[in-house]
Amino acid sequence: MTDLSKTGAAVGEPVNAPSDAPNAFLEVRDLKVHFPTDDGLVKSVDGLSFSLEKGKTLSIVGESGSGKSVTSLAIMGLHRLGPRGKNVQMSGEIWLDGQELVNASPDDVRKLRGQQMSMIFQDPLSAMHPYYKIGDQIVEAYRVHHDVSKKVARKRAIEMLDRVGIPEPAKRVDGYPHEFSGGMRQRAMIAMALVNNPELLIADEPTTALDVTVQAQILDLIRDLQKEFGSAVVLITHDLGVVAEIADDVLVMYGGRCVERGPVDEIFETPQHPYTWGLLGSMPRIDRETSDRLIPVKGQPPSLINVPSGCAFHPRCPYADIPKGDVTRTVRPELELVPGGHWSACHLPAADRTRIWTEEIAPKL
Amino acid sequence: MSDTTKQTAAAVAPEQTSSSEEREVLLKVEGLKKHFPIKKGILQRQVAAVKAVDGIDFEVRKGETLGVVGESGCGKSTMGRVITRLQDPTGGSIHFEGQDITRLNSAGMRPLRRDIQMIFQDPYGSLNPRHTIGSIVSAPFRLQGVEPEGGVKKEVQRLLELVGLSPEHFNRYPHEFSGGQRQRIGIARALALKPKLVVADEPVSALDVSIQAQVVNLMDDLQTELGLTYVIIAHDLSVVRHVSDRVAVMYLGKIVELADSTKLYESPMHPYTKALMSAVPVPDPKRRGTKSERILLKGDVPSPISPPSGCRFHTRCWKATEICRTTEPQLIELRPGQQVACHHPENFADQAPQDTVLLSAAKEAVELVGEAVLEKSAETVAAAEAEEAAAEAPVADAEAPVASEGTPDETPEAESGDQESTPK
Amino acid sequence: MILLLVVSAVTFGIFFLLPRLAGQTADQLAQQYIGKSPSAADIAAVKHNLGLDQPLYLQYWHFIKGIVAGATYNLGPTTVHCNAPCFGYSFKDHVEVWPQLTSRLPVTVSLAAGAAVLWLVSGVTVGVISALKPRSFFDRAFMGVALAGVSLPMFFTGNLAILLFTYQWPIFGRTYVPFTENPAQWANTLFPAWCSLALLYSAIYARLTRSGMLETMNEDFIRTARAKGLRERNVVVKHGLRAALTPIITVFGMDLGLLLGGALITESVFSLHGIGQYAVQSIESNDLPPILGVTLLAAFFVVIANLLVDLLYAAADPRVRLS
């Protein structure tokens, strides 16, 4: 389970060339997830590629509607289930440990869910069934994939509750979700997700609903557990502070596409995309006294039905007029390797980008 | 016991405050309490009460922004609704511009509703979906029977422009707007009657980061332009730091620290403030791994129905001693512009130096207090005390040495030094 | 405790309001018991004998006392004793109301229970399937049928069922046979009535279940259940249905309670001698005491059903359990 032999830089390897089974533990290639609605086709994810190794954490950052949550559900194969699941149009490839998931049979994907890949959600109160005991819900998760008696599974549940730091696990195992505090519920949720030692853990805004002190506890727990189990973690968040805290690699999404991707230090030190600059400039920071104003991104996030042509960010980008002609309005920028060693999808010439970042943006942050 | 130190500290404080900026007090809150009764049985007898706000004092001065932070359940939102008199206080008093508004009935509050306005968190829930933007923003004029110069419509369009919306949005409905735009509408409505005080409860927490920054800047601009006074209630300490002149930190219905923003964030005195701030993730990956800077509080906030005795934070505090369990610390101004309710403050002379034995709970209170934190806190305390000692030398020279030697004991890691430093 | 309070409040209300609603004065009541063209003296005598000249609160007291201890009615020449749970005495038919009710109760219970099982099973099944395939042919077809079921009045569907299944194709029996005598025959005769009644109710339940399920299947905990790798069938039944059904318990309890108080139209249409039919009969003949008795019994069932619903709900949803 905790095979760490396949470690390596998760980003930096070009992933556009479609080949057979990839070397990376998790590899997503040109993923597209579209939802037909009465108003038109919602292109939630529109050509996303990335890879991730075991033991590493990838943070997907973006605002609401950027497609980050849909990506996580797509990996889990979750949005295809349910009444409207049939209508979802999905293409591309998702490789998990040598197995392709987009074209796999639903039952094969189901067997992987909860076993090899599992997920924790934003609001642990609504994510747990209100009528069943915490313990029973964990037992259920364990027994789906393990042919063991209820007694054995219960022992395992208590063990997991203990592991995630719930006091008196033998007693709390019989508690109901509403009897737990927010932080304890999220711990229980993590215990449930990890009960089968998954190799991939997807955490969708796991701390957004929690207070800061509890958030710190939960992030710490996720980090420790990752070290212990050696799993790959995909952490979806809108909070760049959380990203800096926990991620090895960062993927910034905008309008269903990746606009920038790279190691965390790179993204924070020499970000190359104006949207990333905007995110950094929008964030008030606790560690600095800024009587200066925040530098917000002007305008509104794009509609996913009528995604702006060319670069989706161009209507909000202060530098859209720098590249010659109307290339920003007509040509969609592809991810390119930038000098620092990460990937960015922007039409701005590299020299301009460096100049703007070092001279205009960075000093104000 | 600790009276001498307290007195000296209190004695020093006033003369220093006098030099600090004195602005006219707009809102003065004293001993404010709000309890929600819990009733049981057929007779609905009151068996207990949720002490949401349990005795707080503060002032809001004209033109400033007071930030109120705290975790969920600390009573900050209730406080906001009580000071705007959307809810009746259980005890204490509220003075607005010198007028006692604590017990005013709704008719009495009516004229004051012009001056005190509230902005809510949920831009979706607080706008009636069946009304146009025009009628939502003009509602305050109708309710107060005010006819603005140039007519209501013109004034509403001016307001819409002021908050960065197009005047043509007048006839649209709330659902046609995004979250950030809806929050702008809420702000326009709040500003319609040119209020003196605006209480904003989590005004940006439902918004995306880039939009959040737009709204923060807008509120900032409006304050400069219209001379508004804000009370901003938020759980996000970064936002509060950015917008506030002064900040109140609440824990279980009490203010534990109330200080100028810079002072609070640079040298927090209450251990809870310190822990709270250290928990905020900083968007700087280089600072990761410096776990030494992080104080990880264990466990959960106790129930506000039966809050802990003495200092309410003592059950989770790594510095708690016997006195914390028995005696409630008062909110006193230890440094100019910094009020703290703590027996063993950080970055300052200990208020109860003779009380050195840690409660057993204290040792388990935090998971990791890095050595660096302890050293640093010991250092700053020593420095602060040296300063204090110098200042107080003629008054209380006997006090200083005990204090400076006693303080490092408050930190669990430094316990080994106990024998040496205790003179007796 | 609360239950008793409610029941007594209900009886009180019935006792005081019912005669007024029926628009009868004490004089008219007394007149009924004597026959044609009574003299004023006769009326006064009857009124006195029956206690109708007493103040209402005293009459109420006697009535309540009758339920607990039995009552004796003075019919002028003779007196009649009405035994312990005395729900009144029909002066028209010269019978006590309570034995009438108990003898008719099995019929009503049979009708209600059988129909309840049918409508619950069919309604929930249809509702779940519709919810899982919204806007499909099945969904539209069944919701159409459901709409018809709710809209068609009982005297239409009931009479149609009788016409088709007992006259046109005599598959089912016509006269009620007690369960204790011959269960097969019992079911056989009641089946058309069950179906007619169930059609009405299952339509409502299918709609309730469908909307409940649609809502539940969008809940976060359903997504969690799927994320665990559960089979879709388990997700639907164990997680979805469990949550969607709980509110239906409430409605079901109330409906059943109401039906036990007598399905007036159904029993009349199918000539079942149940409580509902007794009520209809009494209303037709303007016989007040049985109406009072039936109403009281029905109220009692509703109150009991309410209590059971509350208990069941607490058992089903841990969040409402008393701490």
Side-chain angles (χ1 to χ4, degrees), chain B residues 207-377:
Chain B
L207 308 175
D208 271 321
V209 194
S210 68
I211 308 300
Q212 180 176 311
Q214 294 174 358
V215 173
V216 165
N217 279 356
L218 171 69
M219 290 183 67
D220 200 21
D221 292 342
L222 291 171
Q223 183 167 39
T224 326
E225 214 167 299
L226 308 173
L228 296 170
T229 307
Y230 287 134
V231 173
I232 295 183
I233 300 162
H235 71 279
D236 186 328
L237 281 95
S238 312
V239 169
V240 167
R241 170 165 204 180
H242 189 86
V243 299
S244 309
D245 300 312
R246 291 192 305 139
V247 176
V249 182
M250 284 185 75
Y251 184 77
L252 271 179
K254 290 268 188 193
I255 292 182
V256 296
E257 185 160 2
L258 174 58
D260 294 345
S261 182
T262 320
K263 286 180 183 140
L264 184 90
Y265 281 86
E266 273 168 13
S267 64
M269 286 197 192
H270 200 285
Y272 176 64
T273 315
K274 195 177 168 85
L276 199 58
M277 288 193 322
S278 80
V280 177
V282 174
D284 184 354
K286 271 184 283 181
R287 290 187 43 181
R288 190 194 335 184
T290 53
K291 271 195 174 181
S292 51
E293 284 183 30
R294 164 146 305 169
I295 300 161
L296 208 53
L297 289 180
K298 268 194 176 174
D300 294 316
V301 182
S303 155
I305 297 171
S306 50
S309 63
C311 172
R312 294 184 176 197
F313 187 55
H314 87 255
T315 51
R316 303 173 78 198
C317 182
W318 65 100
K319 302 181 92 181
T321 59
E322 184 58 24
I323 189 175
C324 304
R325 205 168 56 76
T326 52
T327 315
E328 188 176 328
Q330 297 304 308
L331 188 69
I332 41 175
E333 190 159 20
L334 291 184
R335 249 202 308 248
Q338 191 159 12
Q339 291 171 281
V340 189
C342 181
H343 294 300
H344 309 295
E346 292 273 324
N347 301 322
F348 197 72
D350 204 309
Q351 300 298 296
Q354 72 294 345
D355 208 26
T356 53
V357 185
L358 284 175
L359 289 180
S360 57
K363 289 170 191 151
E364 292 155 17
V366 282
E367 217 155 78
L368 31 102
V369 180
E371 306 248 341
V373 176
L374 300 175
E375 274 165 33
K376 205 176 146 202
S377 84

Side-chain angles (χ1 to χ4, degrees), chain C residues 254-322:
Chain C
M254 296 301 296
D255 282 345
L256 199 60
L258 274 173
L259 266 189
L260 286 175
L264 274 69
I265 299 172
T266 314
E267 286 177 11
S268 302
V269 168
F270 288 91
S271 314
L272 292 166
H273 297 281
I275 289 172
Q277 199 221 25
Y278 186 41
V280 173
Q281 231 173 46
S282 309
I283 291 167
E284 278 169 355
S285 58
N286 220 343
D287 195 2
L288 196 62
I291 302 176
L292 205 68
V294 170
T295 318
L296 186 58
L297 187 70
F300 178 73
F301 278 127
V302 170
V303 171
I304 290 289
N306 244 324
L307 179 78
L308 286 178
V309 161
D310 284 351
L311 292 177
L312 261 175
Y313 205 103
D317 186 345
R319 285 173 300 180
V320 299
R321 265 172 224 171
L322 293 173

Side-chain angles (χ1 to χ4, degrees), chain A residues 141-168:
Chain A
Y142 192 59
R143 291 185 72 210
V144 181
H145 302 288
H146 292 85
D147 190 15
V148 295
S149 71
K150 278 193 179 166
K151 220 175 138 193
V152 174
R154 187 183 153 89
K155 233 182 103 196
R156 170 81 182 152
I158 296 173
E159 184 187 310
M160 285 309 295
L161 288 178
D162 189 38
R163 179 64 200 83
V164 297
I166 288 179
E168 298 180 86

Side-chain angles (χ1 to χ4, degrees), chain B residues 26-27 80-86 94-97 99 101 104 109-119 140 144 189-191 193-200 229 231:
Chain B
L26 184 68
L27 182 80
R81 285 194 296 269
V82 174
I83 60 172
T84 47
R85 288 298 318 279
L86 295 178
I94 310 162
H95 285 82
F96 181 74
E97 290 191 308
Q99 187 192 353
I101 63 165
L104 282 185
M109 273 307 288
R110 216 178 142 80
L112 286 164
R113 292 264 172 247
R114 294 181 68 162
D115 296 333
I116 307 175
Q117 283 289 334
M118 193 148 182
I119 299 172
Q144 288 283 344
R189 173 175 61 181
L191 296 183
L193 296 168
K194 302 195 174 65
K196 291 173 181 151
L197 176 68
V198 174
V199 178
T229 307
V231 173

Side-chain angles (χ1 to χ4, degrees), chain A residues 64 213 217 247 286 293 297, chain B residues 71 208 214 221 241 288 297:
Chain A
S64 40
T213 57
Q217 294 171 0
I286 195 168
R293 295 164 61 77
V297 185
Chain B
E71 295 179 281
D208 271 321
Q214 294 174 358
D221 292 342
R241 170 165 204 180
R288 190 194 335 184
L297 289 180

Side-chain angles (χ1 to χ4, degrees), chain B residues 20-32:
Chain B
S20 74
E21 194 184 359
E22 277 300 324
R23 280 198 268 201
E24 199 185 329
V25 173
L26 184 68
L27 182 80
K28 188 176 172 70
V29 172
E30 284 172 309
L32 188 70

